[in-house]
Amino acid sequence: MNTQRITLTLAAGLIVAAPAFAQTKLKWAHVYETSEPFHTASVWAAEEIKKRSGGRYQIDVYPASQLGKENDINQGLSLGTVDIIISGSSFAAKAFPRIGVTYYPYTFRDVDHLLAYTKSDIYKELTAGYVQKSGNEIVATTYYGTRHTTSNKPIAKCADMKGLKMRVPDVPAYLAMPRACGANTSPIAFAEVYLALQNGTVEAQENPLPTIEAKKFFEVQKHIVLTGHIVDHLNTVVAGGLWKKLSDADKKMFVEVTQEAAAKASKEVAAREKELAAVFRGKGVSVTEVDTSEFRDTVLKNVSFEQFGYQKADWDRIQAVK
């Protein structure tokens, strides 16, 4: 009797322990703060994937550059150090330059135009090109915000940026507007921008209003200038090594969850943007509107698509998306 009881106890223990051996642990990385929608949506997606898979996937989310800067985590997809990231198409363009056309200044009219693009044939074509070149899979796209300029000197027109020491990511399309207007750009890592502004290494930068809030750039900048030069986005990218291992059912589930997460974050960002101009003015920061057509015309006149490896035909097709 005792032997039978021990055998049953051991068997029960093995039954309980079995799921732990079947669980796949994954790393999801990004460079954004824990307070930002990109992180909270990532955490939600990680939990939702665990729930919908019956616990087969355990995803740990690493925010705020914990697993490296944005370039590092993009490389990590191929190196096997990360499994899922959220990152801009500007980094995807290093593998497939054409997709970077979405960062050419004034490509998108507004957030609705951007989100319509994510359902278009040109989006499918460009993301497929990235998949073919990199081996990694773009499964969702999130509205990051519309990029504006902050500075310690007032800016009313493009020419006012001449000689301005400005932090801009080391990505060709991001550099287009500032350089067309004559700024001296510096590629300081995202995590180091606040200190660089504080100590005067640079005197200006550009980012969406929610990012300016989250990174507290308003504390070390006097002016926010609504240049609206890039309607920005982030892609959720799954490493090719992981994607190939997923069953068709799991691929479908990953896509559904990440797209739901992207929709949640996009909605939060757009809503917060509408509130922030007043919030910043309340903190004593100057927030000014400018004639964006003047900035746009300067870029179109001085910056060719071809120098970045972009195709004007792609830009025209995106412009035509309704």
Side-chain angles (χ1 to χ4, degrees):
M1 181 68 73
N2 286 342
T3 303
Q4 183 180 24
R5 196 175 288 138
I6 291 168
T7 302
L8 288 171
T9 302
L10 286 170
L14 288 171
I15 292 169
V16 171
F21 293 106
Q23 189 178 73
T24 300
K25 291 191 175 183
L26 303 173
K27 293 180 179 179
W28 178 317
H30 64 78
V31 300
Y32 303 101
E33 300 299 316
T34 54
S35 61
E36 294 184 88
F38 319 112
H39 176 67
T40 54
S42 298
V43 171
W44 177 86
E47 288 300 317
E48 197 67 13
I49 287 171
K50 182 178 181 179
K51 184 196 305 181
R52 296 189 195 183
S53 69
R56 287 184 294 110
Y57 295 101
Q58 170 65 47
I59 303 177
D60 294 318
V61 180
Y62 296 85
S65 304
Q66 288 180 12
L67 295 188
K69 297 169 185 175
E70 196 154 8
N71 200 50
D72 299 326
I73 61 174
N74 274 272
Q75 292 175 349
L77 292 171
S78 300
L79 296 173
T81 54
V82 295
D83 302 291
I84 305 169
I85 67 170
I86 50 175
S87 176
S89 286
S90 52
F91 288 89
K94 293 183 178 183
F96 181 60
R98 277 180 59 195
I99 201 171
V101 72
T102 53
Y103 281 80
Y104 188 92
Y106 302 104
T107 294
F108 297 106
R109 294 179 290 276
D110 52 30
V111 58
D112 291 333
H113 183 201
L114 169 70
L115 295 178
Y117 155 74
T118 66
K119 298 175 176 63
S120 70
D121 289 340
I122 182 61
Y123 172 83
K124 293 172 186 173
E125 185 177 321
L126 293 177
T127 54
Y130 167 75
V131 172
Q132 184 178 9
K133 288 292 186 181
S134 71
N136 304 315
E137 190 79 18
I138 294 176
V139 291
T141 297
T142 303
Y143 174 54
Y144 179 61
T146 299
R147 300 181 83 93
H148 301 290
T149 303
T150 71
S151 173
N152 280 331
K153 61 175 277 189
I155 297 169
K157 55 187 184 299
C158 184
D160 292 337
M161 296 177 69
K162 186 174 178 61
L164 187 70
K165 292 187 297 180
M166 184 172 182
R167 181 270 176 179
V168 184
D170 189 20
V171 173
Y174 282 144
L175 297 166
M177 186 280 284
R179 287 188 176 174
C181 293
N184 293 328
T185 59
S186 179
I188 294 167
F190 189 53
E192 299 163 12
V193 176
Y194 183 97
L195 183 60
L197 292 168
Q198 188 177 49
N199 65 26
T201 302
V202 290
E203 53 190 333
Q205 67 88 48
E206 52 79 59
N207 260 299
L209 297 182
T211 305
I212 294 167
E213 178 189 36
K215 301 295 286 189
K216 301 188 185 300
F217 295 150
F218 63 87
E219 294 180 348
V220 287
Q221 296 276 261
K222 297 176 182 176
H223 303 276
I224 296 175
V225 187
L226 302 178
T227 48
H229 49 283
I230 297 175
V231 177
D232 209 343
H233 62 282
L234 301 173
N235 298 314
T236 307
V237 189
V238 177
L242 169 61
W243 189 253
K244 289 171 187 173
K245 294 176 185 176
L246 297 179
S247 66
D248 288 345
D250 282 351
K251 285 177 181 176
K252 182 173 184 290
M253 183 263 291
F254 269 64
V255 169
E256 288 174 350
V257 171
T258 54
Q259 290 188 357
E260 287 173 33
K264 288 174 183 289
S266 297
K267 188 174 181 181
E268 286 182 43
V269 170
R272 187 58 178 157
E273 276 186 314
K274 293 177 181 178
E275 305 167 349
L276 279 174
V279 170
F280 291 135
R281 287 187 178 111
K283 294 178 181 295
V285 179
S286 166
V287 181
T288 57
E289 295 185 7
V290 292
D291 178 7
T292 56
S293 63
E294 188 242 344
F295 286 80
R296 181 179 185 272
D297 291 346
T298 301
V299 172
L300 287 170
K301 180 181 177 182
N302 294 291
V303 182
S304 72
F305 292 89
E306 291 73 22
Q307 73 185 77
F308 298 139
Y310 306 157
Q311 295 183 11
K312 177 66 159 54
D314 291 336
W315 191 78
D316 289 336
R317 287 174 66 189
I318 294 171
Q319 290 280 292
V321 171
K322 302 294 185 184

